[in-house]
Amino acid sequence: MNNIIRNIETHPLTWRLRKDKKPVWFDEYTKKEGYSGFKKALKNFSSEEIIKLIIKSKLRGRGGAGFYTGLKWSLIPKKKKNTDIIYLLCNADEMEPGTYKDRLLMEQMPHQLIEGMMISAFAIQANIGYIFLRGEYIKAEQSLRRAIIEAKEQKLLGQNILNTTFDFEIFIHTGAGRYICGEETALINSLEGRRPNPRSKPPFPAEVGLWGKPTCVNNVETLSNIPAILNNGVQWYLNLSKKSNDTGTKMMGFCGKVNQPGVWELPFGITAREILENYANGMCKNHSLKAWQPGGAGTDFLLEKHLDIKMDFYSIASAGSRLGTGISIAIDNKTSIVSVVRNLEEFFARESCGLCTPCRDGLPWIVQILCSIEKSKGLSKDIKILKNLCYQLGPGKSFCAHAPGAIEPLQSALKFFPEEFEKGIIKFIEK
């Protein structure tokens, strides 16, 4: 297994982490160049210059969709007067099964996220920020609340920050535990106290977001990248991942029946095999890899032969899946793929907001069929129905991306492991 040496040049997100895994509080954070990126931003750059800098850095959203961050910021309209309101929302509702990267950053590096939000708010001229936090992340909430208090005591949050005209406040909102809140407009509805249904787009949140005001929603890991880019420059950031067209580093990991499940900060372009064998220390004894999901429950399965593909947005998409959150799930040879998919689809059916018919009715139907196949009571027509449901719930046929994501593990399991589904079909009663 690799002996991980984190340093400021190669691990911008995690080089400050303590060996005892305790949070890095204000004094230690500032000794390790904390808030120097924010001070540099306020002193040396205008809002427009920071947006251009982030565009040049090619930073992509780390929540799963991979939208370019600088481009997203550039869509926020400029203030016409100082009393105009713009919101910055941090999506910290990490509900993807098997994913825990944002949790680590918030629990142990809360000031890095706050600094990232401060720079982002200055760039888009936001004066109010919310961290929409998964309710079960109690320790992360405690870390963030203390860090906000420390930042306020140092006059880094509030009014006339560092004797400038920049005002910014951050509030924490703990969610009630709904996966759909990962969709940014559902998150906005939930923050407003409404049912978390996704909204029609257009208008997009950049124009009409939280309480009708321009709003930018960024993920925890995305925002945590910002201070290092300001500190070290765009060219340094572009050079971090030499084997990929994607830039910077990414929190990646492996879970499942591996010897050392975990999450590590790694450069884009590393292969999944390197992560599995050198960091997760391979599969557990007497287990072999049957399939894996590259970036969470809502991504297509890949096989052992795909392990040498680069872990970046383009390469994983070329193989037929998505990078997603970058935290891979290993499925071992002793686990039924039908049972795995049934378990995932139960989750997605429960987490559907119920707004549109394909998602609301299609996902429970899939679960019902998979339960029958799992009990070896499936009918021969069931596989055809499952394939048709994969089409009916595909991209463009439902209100948001929940249903298309939900059927990704099913459609890939049907493609790679048809014999396991056929094994659960009883044919003698179909006469």
Side-chain angles (χ1 to χ4, degrees), residues 77-84 125:
K78 300 300 174 194
K79 280 185 175 181
K80 295 178 180 176
K81 52 184 184 295
N82 285 336
T83 54
D84 288 347
Q125 299 181 304

Side-chain angles (χ1 to χ4, degrees), residues 268-287:
F268 282 109
I270 190 172
T271 66
R273 187 182 301 280
E274 288 176 277
I275 302 174
L276 176 62
E277 295 181 357
N278 298 341
Y279 291 88
N281 206 15
M283 297 296 292
C284 293
K285 188 178 180 181
N286 298 324
H287 292 77

Side-chain angles (χ1 to χ4, degrees), residues 356-363 365-366 384-400 403-404 407 411:
C356 60
T357 304
C359 190
R360 181 188 62 241
D361 293 345
L363 290 174
W365 193 3
I366 288 172
K384 187 176 180 181
I385 293 172
L386 286 176
K387 290 180 177 176
N388 182 258
L389 284 167
C390 286
Y391 172 77
Q392 297 296 342
L393 274 69
K397 297 183 175 61
S398 58
F399 199 74
C400 74
I407 54 94
Q411 67 186 9

